[in-house]
Structures are given as structure tokens and as C-alpha cells.
Amino acid sequence: MEPDRVAGEAAADTQGGKFGAICAEEERNVLQELSELPVETVGKRPTCSRCSRPQKVCLCPFLPVHPLNVSTCLYIVQHPAEGSRVLRTVPLLAACLPADKCKVFVGRRFSEDRHPELAAVCQSLSTLILYPGPEAKNLEELELDSSLSPYNIIIIDGTWSQAKGMFYGNSLFRFPKQVQLQTSLSSQYIIRTQPTNACLSTLECAAFALSVAEKNHCIHEVILRPLQALCSFQLQHGAQIHHSKEHLIKNGLYAKSMPKNKRKLNRMERLVNNVKV
């Protein structure tokens, strides 16, 4: 290689190295300046301490002025995914009742060691668990023993598949007497899709169950009032009415493709035939 060419390449390498060092220094300076900029914090909208709704859309005017005077205690076992949902009914339910009459336990699995209070409640003769099935007795027809009063009612809060997994996945839930609601009313939680017309939200189940246990139909009306207000507000601001899967399938409006899994397909067919799953 010629000497002049070697010298030229060496000089170019030197200049390139200097240029790269300058660029690196400028990049560090820019990053340093950016790191010193004040961070803009985006805070959540202030929420109401009672109904847990944003203050601008607070539902407290639709809640009872004072918590309902009930002797029955509700134990809500809530799937962890429910806590992240925007439109939840459990906070509205809790706002209608005294704090010691509506207790929420979050999780998928519950054991006697980790949840001694819930375990004691499950093993009590005065406890009922609300979950439909062939072994469940109709709550409306059940003769409640006054000597066991006050009663406890366990309600699973989650989607139907989540609730099923929690019910069968926890041995503690085998202890209480299993009951179900035999109501002919359709859900008023019309901004969320339900499997069938007879499926109810957690708040609605609690309202019906409390009305039966307390022998007071007014309880049902009072607890449903904030749910009705919530749905009305959402519909006024662009939400759509969600018909049940049963309704959509029967009327040929179900947009999704039918499942290939035989078990799921059979379940969908039972919906069409109006057989409870």
C-alpha cells in the first residue's frame, strides 16, 4: 500500500473517531437535558369514597341515605380480574349495606390457613352459597330455620366461566348449602353481555337473595336503583344495549363464529334451546 494512501486513511480514521466522539457527547448532553425536564404526572379522576365512581358521575343520589338495616351478611368472593373492570356492581352493592354486612374476599383459591374467617363462615350451618346447579335448592322455596338466623350468603363475583372455576376449585365451598334463584326477571344490567336472559349480575343476585332472606321486597328495589342509574347514564353517553348471547343466537344476530370445541358448541346449542348451562 502506498505511504500517502496509508496516511490519508489514518487521518480519515482519526477525524471519524473525533466526529463520533463529538456525536456521542452531544447525545449524552441531550439525554441529560431531557432527564432534567419536570415529569408531568397524569392523575386519575377523583373518585367518590362511597360509590367508587368518578366524582363527576357519582351515583350517591341513587343510593339509600343510610345503609340498609339487614341482619343477613353477604360474603362476596371476587375473581381478581373483576377489580380492573370499569363498570363494577360490587362497590354499588357495598355502598347500600353496612360495612359489616358486605365483605369482599379477592382471589381464585381460598384455604382455611390463609382465609380463616371465610373458612369459619363456610363451615357454619347458617351459611348458604348462591350458585346454580342440580344440587341447588331454590332459595325462594327454602324454609330458613329461624334458630340459625342471622344467615350468611356467599356469592361468587366473576364471569360465568370464572365463577365455575372458583366454585369447583375450592373445597371450602362444598360445606355451605347450595342455593339458586328461581326468578323469572331478566337482568337490568343491560350494558354488559350475559350468557342467557336469566343471568343476573352480582348486585342483582345479592338484591334478590337479601329480599328473600330478609322477607322484604323493598330491599331489592333500593339496591337496584343505582344499577339502573348507571345503565341509564352509560346509554345516554354512547353505550349500546347488550342483549344476551341466548337472544342473539335465537334471532340470528350472533356475530362471532360458532365454536369448534364440541363442549362449547353443545353449550351454545343449549342456549338456543333455552336450557340453563
Side-chain angles (χ1 to χ4, degrees), residues 101-129:
K101 297 301 181 184
C102 184
K103 301 182 180 182
V104 181
F105 293 83
V106 180
R108 293 183 179 87
R109 298 290 179 264
F110 301 91
S111 64
E112 188 170 358
D113 293 336
R114 297 181 61 186
H115 305 89
E117 180 185 357
L118 182 61
V121 169
C122 287
Q123 295 172 24
S124 171
L125 293 176
S126 59
T127 298
L128 309 172
I129 185 165

Side-chain angles (χ1 to χ4, degrees), residues 6 53 74 91 126 146 218-219 224 247 253:
V6 172
R53 292 278 296 161
L74 297 180
S126 59
S146 58
C218 293
I219 291 175
L224 286 191
H247 173 89
L253 301 174

Side-chain angles (χ1 to χ4, degrees), residues 50 138 151 175 185 247 261:
R50 187 182 180 194
N138 293 333
Y151 274 83
F175 291 106
L185 298 177
H247 173 89
N261 181 285

Side-chain angles (χ1 to χ4, degrees), residues 9 24 39 42 47 76 82 102 111 143 150-151 162 174 183 199 203 210 225 227 256:
E9 289 180 352
V39 178
V42 180
T47 57
I76 310 297
E82 283 297 308
C102 184
S111 64
E143 292 186 8
Y151 274 83
Q162 290 168 352
R174 302 283 81 74
T183 177
C199 291
L203 178 141
L210 277 176
R225 198 172 296 147
L227 177 65
K256 297 181 181 180

Side-chain angles (χ1 to χ4, degrees), residues 164-227:
K164 182 178 181 180
M166 291 170 66
F167 179 76
Y168 289 106
N170 288 281
S171 59
L172 285 179
F173 298 158
R174 302 283 81 74
F175 291 106
K177 181 174 292 186
Q178 186 181 346
V179 296
Q180 62 186 356
L181 297 172
Q182 196 65 25
T183 177
S184 58
L185 298 177
S186 297
S187 175
Q188 296 188 39
Y189 194 18
I190 56 177
I191 55 175
R192 187 170 173 179
T193 304
Q194 304 289 1
T196 72
N197 296 331
C199 291
L200 304 176
S201 66
T202 300
L203 178 141
E204 291 171 306
C205 288
F208 283 118
L210 277 176
S211 295
V212 174
E214 298 287 320
K215 297 181 173 59
N216 184 352
H217 185 72
C218 293
I219 291 175
H220 164 243
E221 297 175 355
V222 171
I223 293 180
L224 286 191
R225 198 172 296 147
L227 177 65

